[in-house]
Amino acid sequence: MFAEKHYPELLLPEELDAYLSRGWYRMGQTVFTTHFLCFGRSYYSAIWVRLPLKGYRFRKSLRKVYRKVDRYFESEIGQAVITPEKERLYRRYKASFSGMLAPTLRDALMDGEDFNIFRTYEVRVYDKDKLIGLSYFDLGHHSSASIMGIYDPDYKKYSLGLFTMLREIEYSMERNLLYYYPGYIVPGYPRFDYKLRIGDVEYFDLSLHAWRPYTELTETETPLGTMNARLQEMQQFLTHKGYKSQLLNYPLFEANLFGFWSAPYFDYPIFLLCSPRAHNRRFLIIVYDPSVSSYKLMVAALFDDLQLYFNHSYTESFDKRTNFVELLVIERMLEESRTPGHLLQALRQGAKLQ
């Protein structure tokens, strides 16, 4: 699955390392992965990155940021503890933040639970006795993962968010950890590009299930870019063979992260619809799976309880001419192939079953 969430009751440091190495990350008191995102009404790839720490050194621009903050303010690192003072800083930061954040710091980190399954530490930055910056990171056995950073908006010019990341990296290196995981970046959506400032990061290649230098990634090689290109090729092939199909976006691809029940939710952000759309509850769908570099022909069906997952105003905000906004589950796989031609016979057989 491209979007998945686990609910461990306990998590050993070695287990956190394993999750991080496969492109998973923390969400409250759970661990999750996703490889696609929808911001506004546009679709993007989520690219997980990490910084190898062996032989790493701060570049000149980072040393400048570090020295500037270190000169004027005091910082310290310790085990994470939520206090009223930190909640007040969180509220100040949240009020100035343009995106969505959890209602409270406790909600963001503990997700309504009392026991923290992670080994969480915090970086605290003070202007004399005033808390002005705060960040949280988890420790594994060989890895650390940056979770969140907040700061007083009045101190924005000091780049406190970047500084606390540098302190986390420094702390990780002092403990001879091998990797620092800052989360994902989103090509084409620069809001997350600050994570690239820390150095020469690697990215998780979904097709190879391996980490590669980020400098080798091109836009056409992102999971979404690859899917779009391959599906356009398939659509051209089907048109040549006399089959109609419609290339559609699917904004409900993260149902696996929000669903109340375990079900085979359809989790591809883009697909080819090969069945009539109107007055139908079962559909022939072709997808391209970049994790195995192959096309898949499947039967998907409508799932009735859409409003338990996504509110009506959200789904109605999408243009239905280019988006499929009804919740789907996968009924069965009919065929898988690396080339368009091998799916043709299965598509013909599937059309007879409709």
Side-chain angles (χ1 to χ4, degrees):
M1 292 186 287
F2 295 119
E4 191 174 358
K5 187 191 289 188
H6 288 176
Y7 302 81
E9 294 184 1
L10 294 171
L11 194 68
L12 297 175
E14 294 83 359
E15 293 174 319
L16 178 60
D17 288 346
Y19 272 118
L20 292 169
S21 71
R22 300 196 304 272
W24 287 63
Y25 204 64
R26 173 181 179 169
M27 179 189 291
Q29 289 296 294
T30 68
V31 283
F32 83 104
T33 190
T34 189
H35 294 281
F36 307 102
L37 299 164
C38 183
F39 294 127
R41 299 298 170 261
S42 300
Y43 298 80
Y44 302 90
S45 290
I47 305 297
W48 298 97
V49 296
R50 73 181 184 186
L51 178 69
L53 298 179
K54 186 176 182 180
Y56 173 77
R57 297 289 185 274
F58 292 155
R59 60 182 58 164
K60 183 178 180 180
S61 60
L62 298 179
R63 294 197 301 271
K64 183 177 179 180
V65 170
Y66 190 103
R67 286 196 298 265
K68 181 179 180 180
V69 176
D70 200 44
R71 182 184 306 122
Y72 293 109
F73 310 116
E74 295 183 1
S75 63
E76 58 188 21
I77 296 179
Q79 288 190 318
V81 179
I82 299 174
T83 66
E85 179 186 35
K86 295 165 187 173
E87 288 284 11
R88 286 193 295 271
L89 178 61
Y90 182 83
R91 287 195 297 271
R92 280 186 56 76
Y93 177 76
K94 186 175 185 292
S96 68
F97 189 74
S98 59
M100 292 183 61
L101 291 174
T104 68
L105 181 59
R106 178 169 290 276
D107 289 328
L109 293 175
M110 300 302 294
D111 206 17
E113 301 293 335
D114 295 323
F115 177 72
N116 187 2
I117 65 172
F118 301 92
R119 290 199 302 164
T120 306
Y121 282 70
E122 62 186 18
V123 179
R124 301 178 292 270
V125 185
Y126 291 93
D127 183 0
K128 297 182 175 60
D129 60 351
K130 179 183 178 182
L131 182 66
I132 62 172
L134 185 64
S135 72
Y136 292 91
F137 61 106
D138 294 328
L139 293 181
H141 185 63
H142 294 300
S143 311
S144 61
S146 183
I147 305 307
M148 66 181 303
I150 60 176
Y151 55 85
D152 188 319
D154 292 343
Y155 293 79
K156 184 177 181 179
K157 67 178 183 179
Y158 291 100
S159 301
L160 294 179
L162 178 58
F163 172 77
T164 56
M165 291 182 71
L166 298 180
R167 287 286 274 128
E168 292 171 2
I169 293 171
E170 184 179 58
Y171 187 86
S172 301
M173 294 176 64
E174 289 170 353
R175 277 143 189 80
N176 296 314
L177 301 185
L178 300 179
Y179 298 104
Y180 174 77
Y181 291 83
Y184 58 63
I185 58 95
V186 185
Y189 193 80
R191 184 173 195 161
F192 299 89
D193 286 356
Y194 69 90
K195 299 175 184 179
L196 300 176
R197 294 179 64 185
I198 60 177
D200 295 327
V201 298
E202 300 174 335
Y203 79 98
F204 185 71
D205 188 320
L206 186 59
S207 64
L208 298 177
H209 301 275
W211 293 86
R212 296 173 55 194
Y214 182 75
T215 52
E216 296 180 2
L217 178 66
T218 65
E219 186 173 347
T220 57
E221 288 181 323
T222 65
L224 189 60
T226 301
M227 292 170 107
N228 189 52
R230 299 290 85 79
L231 287 176
Q232 288 189 39
E233 292 176 4
M234 173 62 80
Q235 187 175 39
Q236 292 174 2
F237 173 80
L238 293 179
T239 300
H240 179 71
K241 295 296 183 179
Y243 280 87
K244 291 183 178 180
S245 63
Q246 187 178 10
L247 188 62
L248 292 171
N249 296 313
Y250 182 64
L252 312 183
F253 59 86
E254 287 190 317
N256 280 307
L257 300 183
F258 307 112
F260 294 109
W261 298 284
S262 178
Y265 299 109
F266 185 80
D267 64 350
Y268 293 78
I270 183 172
F271 65 88
L272 278 181
L273 180 65
C274 301
S275 298
R277 191 170 179 181
H279 311 295
N280 203 352
R281 294 190 59 83
R282 298 171 70 247
F283 306 92
L284 282 173
I285 285 176
I286 293 177
V287 299
Y288 185 82
D289 187 340
S291 68
V292 292
S293 302
S294 67
Y295 294 101
K296 294 179 179 179
L297 173 66
M298 60 183 65
V299 177
L302 297 183
F303 188 83
D304 289 329
D305 295 322
L306 169 63
Q307 299 309 321
L308 292 176
Y309 298 77
F310 302 93
N311 66 59
H312 182 71
S313 61
Y314 175 73
T315 56
E316 286 300 307
S317 66
F318 287 89
D319 185 346
K320 294 184 179 180
R321 292 171 298 179
T322 56
N323 294 273
F324 194 98
V325 292
E326 296 180 87
L327 191 59
L328 291 169
V329 291
I330 300 171
E331 279 197 352
R332 57 195 172 109
M333 189 78 61
L334 298 179
E335 188 62 75
E336 180 175 351
S337 174
R338 290 178 176 267
T339 60
H342 289 166
L343 258 64
L344 188 58
Q345 184 61 35
L347 181 60
R348 288 169 176 162
Q349 290 298 115
K352 293 177 182 179
L353 299 175
Q354 286 281 292

